[in-house]
Structures are given as C-alpha cells and as structure tokens.
Amino acid sequence: MSLELNLATILIFFARCTDVSLATMRMLLLVKGQRFKASAIGFVEISLYLMSLKYVLDAGLNSPLSFIAYALGFSTGNFLGSLLEEKLLKGHTIVEIILNDTEESRHLAERLRDKGFGTTIVEGEGKDGPRLILKVICDRNDRQKVMQIGSQAGGFVFMVDIRSIWGGYFNKKK
C-alpha cells in the first residue's frame, strides 16, 4: 500500500468526521433560528464533504480501505457531533415531570425551587386520577440533574428543547 493511499485514507476519515460533526451543529443551529452561523458552517461542511468524496472516487473500486474510512468517518462524525452539541450549544430546555397528586409531589416542586430551578405546577387528570405536572425550564446543561430528580420521585419525565424564551423567573443555582 502506497504512502499516498495511506494519507488519502486518513484524510477521508478525518474529513468525514469533521463534516458530519459540522452537519449536526448546522442542523441544531437552524432549529434554534441561527441562520447565519448555520450557513457559514454549511459552507465548510460541504467543502470537506466534496474533498473526501473526491478522494474516495479517485481511489475507485481498487481501494476498499477508502470506502471503510469514508463510512467509519461518517459514523464517528455522528458520535462526535452529538458530543459537541451537548458541550457547545447553549439554551434552555423544558423538563416536565408528571406525578400523582400527593403532598410528596408538591414537596418535590419546592426541592427543585430550592435548588434554583423555577418550577410551575399544573394540575391535570390521568387515567387513574389527579396528576401534578411540574414544568421546569432550565439551562440545557442542567437538564440531566432535573430529570434525575424527577425520575427518582417516580415521575414520568420528558424534555423538549426551547427555541427562545422571554421573561420568567431564573434564580441562580445554590
């Protein structure tokens, strides 16, 4: 195997890792309404994609290693993109915790508030009776903490990313 083929294979892998990671970031930025940043990332993303594709096509069917590097770069890029998304993108998430309407559930809302998470209680009706729906809007970085507190209380917990917010009460974490 020639040195040129080895370098091309490495380049294909890293280009795909990068362009797929950027694609993840671009899509998330578009969802959050950040069009300019998304389009700038899209330019770099497609440039890397075309470069890696050129190397794969130039190697032709004679180099299965190029195809493997291309596919492995794609899958690794998806993994890296999701890690980047967790670390880099700021924003808010709404975590909803649905619990039986008990005194303990109401105390959970107070515990969340004591930890600095604004919590709104909505009363609802489930199949087996009254429910409390705790709505907690928090920083994306805090969503796992809130979800853990809710699941430990035996609640049905889910979260939704929020595109933008206005007003409200946000306390500093204690």
Side-chain angles (χ1 to χ4, degrees), residues 130-155:
R131 299 285 183 262
L132 290 183
I133 304 164
L134 308 183
K135 293 180 174 268
V136 183
I137 297 178
C138 60
D139 291 336
R140 293 182 86 241
N141 296 338
D142 293 327
R143 67 182 184 238
Q144 294 301 330
K145 292 177 197 167
V146 175
M147 288 183 73
Q148 183 179 10
I149 292 168
S151 60
Q152 286 174 350

Side-chain angles (χ1 to χ4, degrees), residues 19-131:
D19 92 76
V20 173
S21 296
L22 290 173
T24 302
M25 298 301 292
R26 178 181 52 81
M27 291 304 297
L28 292 166
L29 288 169
L30 280 173
V31 168
K32 292 195 168 285
Q34 298 181 17
R35 292 181 201 99
F36 182 75
K37 286 180 185 177
S39 60
I41 286 175
F43 178 82
V44 175
E45 170 201 342
I46 200 66
S47 299
L48 288 170
Y49 169 76
L50 290 172
M51 181 184 66
S52 63
L53 185 60
K54 175 206 177 303
Y55 277 103
V56 170
L57 294 176
D58 284 351
L61 297 176
N62 300 329
S63 176
L65 199 54
S66 294
F67 290 105
I68 292 169
Y70 189 85
L72 194 57
F74 179 83
S75 60
T76 304
N78 278 298
F79 180 78
L80 292 174
S82 68
L83 287 178
L84 281 171
E85 179 263 335
E86 285 180 13
K87 301 292 180 198
L88 297 178
L89 284 183
K90 303 291 183 212
H92 293 88
T93 298
I94 185 164
V95 179
E96 292 199 23
I97 306 166
I98 302 173
L99 302 156
N100 289 329
D101 188 354
T102 64
E103 203 56 41
E104 180 62 30
S105 299
R106 292 184 184 274
H107 288 305
L108 177 64
E110 287 306 316
R111 278 197 352 245
L112 285 164
R113 290 176 182 138
D114 288 344
K115 291 182 183 284
F117 300 112
T119 304
T120 300
I121 299 174
V122 178
E123 295 181 0
E125 186 70 31
K127 178 183 157 216
D128 296 324
R131 299 285 183 262

